[in-house]
Amino acid sequence: MINTRDIVLNILMDIETNKTFSNQAISKALSKNQFEDKRERAFITRLAEGVMEQLISLDFIINQFSKTKVNKCKPMIRCLLRMGAYQILYMESVPDSAACNESVKLAKSHGFSSLSGFVNGVLRNIARNKDNIAEPSGDKLSPEYLSIKYSMPMWLCKKLKKDYPKEYTKILEGCFLDRPTSIRVNTTRISRDELRIVLEEAGITVEYGSYSDKALLISDYDFIKKVPGYKKGYFTVQDESSMCAIKAAGIVPGNTVIDVCAAPGGKTTCAAEYLNGQGKIYSMDISEDKLELIEENVTRLGFDNVDISCHDATELIADMEADVVIADVPCSGLGIIGRKNDIKYRLEEKQIDELIELQRRILSTVKQYVKDEGTLLYSTCTINPDENHNNLEWFLKENKEFYMVEERGFLQGIDTCDGFYYAVLKKR
């Protein structure tokens, strides 16, 4: 039998010391243990994701009961305290004694016997007093309070309140909503109704999407690559908001499409569906490692009209033009915090200005690929207006040959999908 808590500890240490993104660290661990019991894999996911989701809140609570502040602890001890505290505070099915005892065992097995008493004391103190934990100070709608409640950096709470004064608390809540997985049906191989039947026969809970006629929302499954139809290329994971963006681009059979920041290939393959075997897609990304993800998805889904290459989107390729150019640019990712919890801890306010500069450089380059009367699709997975609408205002002011035909934003917690933005521009 595997030691699930030890696996979670290794995941958290991978994130802590190697700066691996949490979704990647968890996926890597689950792949190594894909043949283990479904319940054990679910426990690993719940505990690892939960710790990352509640990091600021957990540290606030631990610091109430520990003489040594969390940021002064050794990385291994810090991870153990967070794991133990999360089980005590958020996992009712786990006895407090088990959360404490197993954390102590892990401290000893990883060479920290001398600190096992400290781990035990802090966690048992939390367990004894979990109904009397002090709340954050300040007004309950203040950024200071909400930063702790929703485990969100203070500067980000202040920014969301400034940008969305009426919606920001719902946006914060939306980062914690447990939503089903959104998949896009590959309609070149199977219809949405047919795939729904296949999935339900396998015991998977299925709903139709709210925004796209290609979307199904699935839950109660174990491992996405084991879901019936995955290997046959019947579907791929993609949020509905992203599907809406590609539909809005108006891609039709015979078009030439350029996707300049394409990895992992969701928009490329969605565009390929609309081409239906007629036309060409040039799918590019700056990271050679990520090209394998595009290749894997294109091959699995069965598209042979996609040319994949490594390219920096800020550098112009001579003599290239397209009917549709897709610029899903690097961004702050504030719309997908619910799926990638550590974005909020890694992002710094000063980085947003750097991202805006990069986005504008990409736009200034890729606009040159758009044919007359062609389409430029700009999209991000952030809800930051400076990276979205304000960027497009700048672009249209600088490039009078383009005009806006559609603009749409999604907010997590308000809409039942990721936070996302897209704008469709036409060239005169």
Side-chain angles (χ1 to χ4, degrees), residues 90-152:
Y90 297 102
M91 298 180 75
E92 293 181 1
S93 62
V94 178
D96 293 347
S97 57
C100 297
N101 293 338
E102 294 302 317
S103 298
V104 168
K105 287 179 184 177
L106 285 173
K108 292 177 178 178
S109 66
H110 283 272
F112 290 95
S113 294
S114 61
L115 292 173
S116 61
F118 167 73
V119 170
N120 184 58
V122 171
L123 294 181
R124 292 196 181 279
N125 208 1
I126 292 173
R128 282 193 298 269
N129 295 282
K130 61 182 175 182
D131 295 326
N132 299 300
I133 291 171
E135 285 197 342
S137 59
D139 179 86
K140 291 192 176 182
L141 291 178
S142 68
E144 291 78 9
Y145 183 91
L146 295 174
S147 173
I148 302 299
K149 180 177 180 180
Y150 292 109
S151 195
M152 192 75 67

Side-chain angles (χ1 to χ4, degrees), residues 32-252:
K32 287 181 180 178
N33 296 280
Q34 61 182 286
F35 300 110
E36 299 297 336
D37 183 80
K38 181 179 178 179
R39 288 170 299 180
E40 292 180 325
R41 290 162 45 78
F43 180 89
I44 291 168
T45 302
R46 165 81 190 279
L47 181 52
E49 287 184 347
V51 169
M52 293 308 301
E53 188 176 68
Q54 298 284 358
L55 213 57
I56 292 174
S57 303
L58 288 170
D59 288 358
F60 172 79
I61 293 167
I62 293 167
N63 284 340
Q64 294 181 40
F65 300 98
S66 174
K67 292 181 180 179
T68 304
K69 299 306 179 186
V70 175
N71 64 348
K72 298 292 185 182
C73 293
K74 296 180 183 296
M76 180 76 70
I77 301 303
R78 183 159 54 237
C79 291
L80 280 172
L81 289 175
R82 289 168 174 168
M83 279 175 58
Y86 184 84
Q87 291 168 78
I88 292 167
L89 298 168
Y90 297 102
M91 298 180 75
E92 293 181 1
S93 62
V94 178
D96 293 347
S97 57
C100 297
N101 293 338
E102 294 302 317
S103 298
V104 168
K105 287 179 184 177
L106 285 173
K108 292 177 178 178
S109 66
H110 283 272
F112 290 95
S113 294
S114 61
L115 292 173
S116 61
F118 167 73
V119 170
N120 184 58
V122 171
L123 294 181
R124 292 196 181 279
N125 208 1
I126 292 173
R128 282 193 298 269
N129 295 282
K130 61 182 175 182
D131 295 326
N132 299 300
I133 291 171
E135 285 197 342
S137 59
D139 179 86
K140 291 192 176 182
L141 291 178
S142 68
E144 291 78 9
Y145 183 91
L146 295 174
S147 173
I148 302 299
K149 180 177 180 180
Y150 292 109
S151 195
M152 192 75 67
M154 181 81 71
W155 73 267
L156 193 45
C157 284
K158 290 179 178 179
K159 177 169 179 54
L160 289 173
K161 185 175 183 180
K162 173 178 172 289
D163 292 338
Y164 299 97
K166 294 181 180 178
E167 302 97 343
Y168 79 103
T169 55
K170 288 187 177 180
I171 291 171
L172 289 169
E173 290 170 5
C175 295
F176 288 81
L177 292 177
D178 186 14
R179 294 192 289 114
T181 301
S182 173
I183 62 172
R184 189 189 78 243
V185 181
N186 181 4
T187 52
T188 66
R189 291 194 166 178
I190 192 171
S191 73
R192 185 166 71 155
D193 290 340
E194 288 171 332
L195 181 57
R196 178 170 188 163
I197 292 169
V198 170
L199 298 177
E200 287 181 334
E201 287 178 346
I204 295 170
T205 301
V206 186
E207 305 169 59
Y208 289 117
S210 302
Y211 307 100
S212 172
D213 59 6
K214 289 180 176 288
L216 289 175
L217 308 178
I218 65 171
S219 51
D220 299 319
Y221 67 91
D222 181 20
F223 190 52
I224 195 68
K225 292 185 178 181
K226 287 185 176 181
V227 171
Y230 179 85
K231 292 181 180 178
K232 293 181 179 179
Y234 287 172
F235 70 89
T236 193
V237 175
Q238 185 176 29
D239 193 72
E240 282 193 84
S241 56
S242 181
M243 298 180 213
C244 291
I246 298 300
K247 183 176 183 179
I251 298 165
V252 296

Side-chain angles (χ1 to χ4, degrees), residues 265-322:
K267 293 179 180 64
T268 286
T269 54
C270 191
E273 285 185 42
Y274 286 110
L275 289 182
N276 198 26
Q278 302 174 54
K280 186 79 172 179
I281 302 180
Y282 295 92
S283 183
M284 311 169 189
D285 200 90
I286 193 171
S287 170
E288 264 193 70
D289 292 340
K290 292 182 179 179
L291 296 183
E292 293 181 10
L293 296 173
I294 304 174
E295 182 70 50
E296 177 187 326
N297 282 312
V298 167
T299 301
R300 183 175 58 82
L301 296 168
F303 299 115
D304 57 10
N305 57 341
V306 180
D307 181 281
I308 301 170
S309 62
C310 185
H311 183 71
D312 182 343
T314 64
E315 296 179 0
L316 184 68
I317 302 174
D319 303 320
M320 278 201 81
E321 62 176 13

